[in-house]
């Protein structure tokens, strides 16, 4: 049996994870004087190696020459998990500096009091322990730090910002959808994206190549590595251990965190590092697995889990995809519609204010990525025909494509959960996560309206609508927005964290990623993760200065 390597140094803070949450924690804490050690399950991705501008026809030649693009996504063989039979969950993870922010969709939407107080209005589960006024100053600071482009609209479901960079102009198809939606009483507004539309804080603006999903080689959109971790290094107070796959948080005789156990990704050597405070930011599912595996005589149900909520209430989002072709653009000229990659517009939630009574709780918004002449014509698979006539049909429709993607909130259910008991172990001998998640009647009822509303917008635009199955719910997990398995709340019996993402049971453990959310909302979570992590680590820094922790 190999010897466990224990580091004698006691770090002010050990951060688990390097994505949006971990990067923000490192940036803010080092700036305020804390000496921080970050544990990253991967290593730094070199922007010079990104295939941002490699064209599709160049791929075979480069691969034949032995070249490969960066392997952002981790596979289930390297990091396994299980699900019940017939209940798939598509879990997307990135091991490496910056995590999923290297390839994220960059949609940056503020939560509102419509989200924070939803449980107070409809009685489903618990409300957030904070309100918009608590987070608004942090949203403002995040917008200024990372650069978020967007318009000047301000709605009760989507608060505005005076710090937005200029939005990109909508594409032709997006303009036509805006007009059609206005005709049926719903507003499509400028999208909000963490993409630089002009030079910002010394960083180059986006050059509209549209290849954001392959990583940005000029860092014109926010990623944790370039925007947060590199500046934290400059303070001289950050260390990062690469390829450190965290297994557990170890505790002392009082049940407080004292060290973190991890394994070297390749040698499998077990190691431990000591910490005065541990910040958990490994992304919702992996953070939860770490917490549940951190069992001891003081925490037999997992660290900080006397309430039995850790692992429960896994909330995601349900989404769908509908496509059509608007008549004004059929047979039209082909323009470069790459833009900033993804949609330039967004439809905020509206279903709470139109006076109609719903048979479901909460709501949905709508995104529009994929409109216009893109880098492929995947829709052609659903166009009938053969030969010359088929090619004409595809070419005619190519500039006219519009795409609608509603996202709806999934309610928190106690039995939508993560467990680690009896699940088997990974290559390091650590119990893996079992993800037990399914949609319920509330989501099915909301989904029906989401399909109906998307179709209504397309009909208002007089679009040719591509075939769709209104009963199809999609595979859970594909929104890549996991939340709520270590939720914040005012009552320690019904939540694991207080309003500062600090564990009720273990005050020197903070959880600052999506696991801390009380509800999922219909919005993309990253902007809120950044704001919450900044707020939480402000609280932590003050606790350290006062020697209260």
């Amino acid at each position: 049996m190999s010897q466990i390597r224990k580091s004698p140094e006691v770090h002010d803070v050990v951060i688990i994870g390097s994505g949006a949450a971990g990067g923000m924690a490192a940036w803010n804490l080092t700036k305020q004087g804390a000496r921080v050690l970050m544990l990253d399950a991967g290593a730094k991705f070199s922007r010079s190696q990104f295939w941002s501008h490699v064209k599709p026809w160049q791929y075979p030649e480069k691969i034949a020459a032995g070249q490969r693009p960066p392997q952002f996504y981790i596979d289930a063989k390297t990091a396994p998990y299980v699900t019940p039979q017939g209940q798939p969950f598509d879990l997307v993870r990135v091991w490496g500096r910056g995590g999923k922010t290297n390839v994220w969709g960059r949609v940056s939407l503020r939560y509102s009091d419509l989200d924070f107080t939803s449980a107070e209005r409809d009685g489903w589960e618990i409300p957030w322990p904070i309100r918009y006024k608590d987070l608004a100053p942090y949203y403002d600071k995040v917008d200024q730090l990372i650069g978020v482009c967007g318009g000047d609209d301000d709605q009760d479901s989507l608060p505005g910002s005076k710090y937005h960079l200029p939005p990109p102009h909508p594409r032709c198809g997006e303009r036509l959808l805006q007009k059609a939606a206005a005709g049926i009483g719903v507003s499509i507004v400028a999208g909000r994206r963490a993409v630089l539309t002009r030079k910002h804080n010394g960083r180059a603006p986006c050059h509209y190549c549209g290849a954001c999903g392959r990583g940005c080689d000029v860092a014109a959109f926010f990623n944790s590595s370039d925007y947060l971790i590199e500046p934290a290094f400059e303070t001289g107070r950050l260390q990062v251990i690469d390829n450190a796959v965290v297994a557990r948080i170890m505790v002392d005789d009082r049940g407080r965190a004292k060290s973190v156990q991890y394994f070297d990704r390749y040698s499998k050597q077990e190691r431990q590092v000591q910490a005065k405070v541990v910040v958990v930011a490994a992304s919702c599912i992996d953070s939860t697995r770490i917490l549940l595996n951190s069992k001891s005589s003081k925490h037999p149900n997992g660290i900080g889990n006397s309430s039995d909520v850790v692992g429960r209430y896994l909330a995601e989002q349900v989404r769908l995809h509908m496509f059509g072709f608007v008549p004004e653009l059929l047979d039209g000229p082909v323009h470069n519609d790459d833009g900033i990659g993804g949609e330039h517009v967004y439809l905020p939630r509206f279903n709470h204010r139109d006076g109609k009574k719903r048979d479901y709780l909460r709501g949905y918004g709508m995104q529009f990525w994929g409109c216009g002449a893109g880098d492929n014509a995947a829709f052609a698979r659903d166009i009938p025909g053969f030969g010359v006539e088929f090619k004409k049909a595809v070419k005619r429709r190519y500039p006219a494509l519009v795409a609608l993607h509603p996202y709806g909130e999934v309610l928190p259910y106690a039995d939508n959960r993560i467990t680690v008991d009896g699940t088997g172990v990974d290559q390091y001998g650590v119990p893996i996560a079992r993800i037990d998640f399914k949609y319920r009647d509330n989501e099915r009822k909301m989904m029906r309206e989401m399909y109906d509303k998307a179709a209504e917008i397309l009909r208002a635009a007089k679009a040719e609508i591509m075939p769709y199955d209104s009963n199809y719910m999609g595979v859970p997990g594909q929104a890549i927005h996991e939340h709520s398995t270590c939720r914040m709340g005012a009552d320690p019996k019904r939540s694991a964290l207080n309003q500062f993402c600090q564990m009720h049971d273990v005050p020197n453990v903070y959880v600052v990623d999506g696991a801390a959310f009380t509800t999922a909302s219909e919005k993309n979570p990253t902007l809120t993760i950044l704001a919450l992590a900044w707020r939480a680590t402000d609280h932590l820094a003050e606790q350290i200065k006062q020697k209260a922790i």
Side-chain angles (χ1 to χ4, degrees), residues 37 66 91 95 103 118 120 127 139 162 173 175 177 190 210 252 256 261 283 362 432 435 454 456 458 474 487 493 501:
L37 174 67
L91 181 60
W95 283 8
V103 289
S118 56
E120 294 177 5
Y139 279 134
K162 61 184 178 181
R175 283 286 192 203
L177 290 177
D252 61 20
R256 293 167 64 97
Q261 176 200 51
S283 194
R362 312 291 166 89
I432 65 176
I435 304 174
E456 186 181 3
L458 287 169
R487 66 187 184 182
K493 294 180 180 178
C501 301

Side-chain angles (χ1 to χ4, degrees), residues 4 89 103 126 149 179 181 185 268 314 321 329 360 386 388 392 403 437 470 489 516:
I4 300 171
F89 191 95
V103 289
I126 65 172
C149 66
K179 181 180 178 181
K268 300 184 175 61
L314 173 61
H321 314 288
L329 302 180
Y360 63 85
F386 184 77
V388 172
K392 287 181 179 178
F437 183 94
S470 61

Side-chain angles (χ1 to χ4, degrees), residues 444-501:
R444 281 187 279 271
K445 291 174 180 177
M446 185 189 298
M447 183 69 110
R448 281 199 291 269
E449 181 176 323
M450 289 160 61
Y451 272 112
D452 289 346
K453 185 56 66 175
E456 186 181 3
I457 293 171
L458 287 169
R459 286 195 297 270
K462 296 181 172 54
E464 172 193 354
I465 302 175
M466 294 288 284
Y468 65 94
D469 178 1
S470 61
N471 293 313
Y472 181 62
M473 299 282 290
V475 177
Q478 291 184 339
I480 323 178
H481 298 156
E482 305 91 24
H483 318 71
S484 307
T485 49
C486 187
R487 66 187 184 182
M488 298 166 35
D491 183 355
K493 294 180 180 178
R494 300 196 66 193
S495 59
L497 309 175
N498 67 15
Q499 70 269 34
F500 296 107
C501 301

Side-chain angles (χ1 to χ4, degrees), residues 218-239:
V218 298
F221 70 71
F222 166 75
N223 71 84
S224 175
S225 180
D226 287 302
Y227 284 59
L228 299 173
I229 297 173
E230 289 302 318
F233 274 127
E234 293 173 5
T235 68
R237 290 185 283 270
L238 175 66
Q239 301 176 56

Side-chain angles (χ1 to χ4, degrees), residues 286-537:
D286 284 329
S287 289
T288 304
R289 178 194 174 207
I290 291 166
L291 296 171
L292 291 173
N293 276 324
S294 300
K295 292 181 170 68
S296 64
S297 60
K298 298 293 184 182
H299 304 287
N301 202 29
I303 192 168
N305 195 24
S306 65
S307 60
D308 193 36
V309 303
V310 177
R312 296 187 182 274
Y313 304 106
L314 173 61
E316 230 256 342
Q317 286 159 357
V318 64
R319 70 175 187 175
L320 62 90
H321 314 288
M322 287 185 66
F323 304 91
F325 305 98
V326 287
E328 294 90 339
L329 302 180
L330 290 170
D331 275 327
V334 174
H335 300 287
N336 185 332
D337 285 324
D338 290 342
I340 63 172
E343 72 275 6
H344 292 180
V345 295
Y346 180 72
L347 193 160
R349 179 182 169 184
F350 63 91
N351 67 337
H352 59 291
R353 63 169 106 89
D354 63 5
K356 298 178 182 177
K357 184 175 177 58
R358 261 69 181 189
D359 59 354
Y360 63 85
L361 304 179
R362 312 291 166 89
Y364 61 93
M366 199 175 299
Q367 300 179 27
F368 299 91
W369 34 273
C371 290
D375 61 0
N376 67 66
F379 66 83
R381 290 173 294 194
D382 296 311
I383 300 296
F386 184 77
V388 172
E389 292 306 313
F390 168 73
K391 292 178 181 179
K392 287 181 179 178
V394 172
K395 186 176 180 180
R396 179 171 185 262
R397 290 170 174 82
Y398 178 56
L401 178 68
V402 289
L404 292 74
H405 312 279
Y407 283 66
E409 178 174 351
V410 174
L411 293 176
Y413 302 101
D415 56 350
N416 272 357
R417 65 183 302 196
I418 310 300
T419 55
V420 295
D421 296 325
T423 58
V425 298
D426 64 11
Q427 59 185 310
Y428 312 104
V430 180
I432 65 176
R434 171 187 165 103
I435 304 174
D436 195 331
F437 183 94
K438 57 186 177 183
Y439 299 131
R440 317 297 168 97
D441 283 345
N442 196 75
E443 290 72 51
R444 281 187 279 271
K445 291 174 180 177
M446 185 189 298
M447 183 69 110
R448 281 199 291 269
E449 181 176 323
M450 289 160 61
Y451 272 112
D452 289 346
K453 185 56 66 175
E456 186 181 3
I457 293 171
L458 287 169
R459 286 195 297 270
K462 296 181 172 54
E464 172 193 354
I465 302 175
M466 294 288 284
Y468 65 94
D469 178 1
S470 61
N471 293 313
Y472 181 62
M473 299 282 290
V475 177
Q478 291 184 339
I480 323 178
H481 298 156
E482 305 91 24
H483 318 71
S484 307
T485 49
C486 187
R487 66 187 184 182
M488 298 166 35
D491 183 355
K493 294 180 180 178
R494 300 196 66 193
S495 59
L497 309 175
N498 67 15
Q499 70 269 34
F500 296 107
C501 301
Q502 180 184 31
M503 279 198 148
H504 292 301
D505 296 349
V506 189
N508 68 335
V509 174
Y510 287 68
V511 180
V512 297
D513 56 27
F517 284 38
T518 311
T519 60
S521 180
E522 76 285 354
K523 302 180 183 75
N524 303 52
T526 304
L527 190 75
T528 301
I529 288 172
L530 289 165
L532 286 172
W534 196 331
R535 183 174 184 268
T537 49

